[in-house]
Amino acid sequence: MGIVVAVAGLALSVSACQGNDSAVPGTTPQMSTAQQAASPAASAAHESNASAPCHTAELSARLGSQEEVPVNVQGELGAAGTHYNLPLIFTNRSAHACVLSGFPGVDLVGPGSTYSLPRVGDPSPVTLVPGASAHSVISYIDPSGSVPPGEKTTLWTPTKVSVTPPNETTQISVPWSVGNPVDNADKASGAAAAHIQPIQAGA
């Protein structure tokens, strides 16, 4: 009788071990059918967000610190006055990555006039993770140093920059914080005293 009880107990023990997957050595837990279906969808959504263009509502814009550059280093500007490169910085303030590609639309707005800057350069896409920045460069001439002594000339100083991110139609208003006048005398004739460069990585 004792032998029969022992055999029965052994059979129950083996059956219990086989019924518990986690107790079987050498096995790997498998994802459920629902988990397997959701995983590719989540991956596709992540890739889609990462390649989506940055929209105006997802960006902030500001001017950086301008740098004086040698005359004609830009190649597109005239020689009169002091030449500057001024970074226009975009920051991704959304919770997902997005792409900036091309040129921003840049209008210098000042007393009685708006100066829409021509575009110069070859664009390439820049991916921005949340919190990251990219920039374009405003190249312009401050004509104040080229005014002949004794001559009275009214210099045009912008009050703000109206910025349209690439492939968008909604603008961001940025104060013209540098305070310099801009040579806009020949803008109607197509002679560029300022221009905007394409989006580049970094701030």
Side-chain angles (χ1 to χ4, degrees), residues 4-22:
V4 172
V5 172
V7 170
L10 179 60
L12 287 173
S13 176
V14 171
S15 175
C17 289
Q18 290 177 341
N20 186 348
D21 288 344
S22 62

Side-chain angles (χ1 to χ4, degrees), residues 30-45:
Q30 300 296 314
M31 288 191 299
S32 68
T33 303
Q35 289 174 321
Q36 291 174 349
S39 181
S43 177

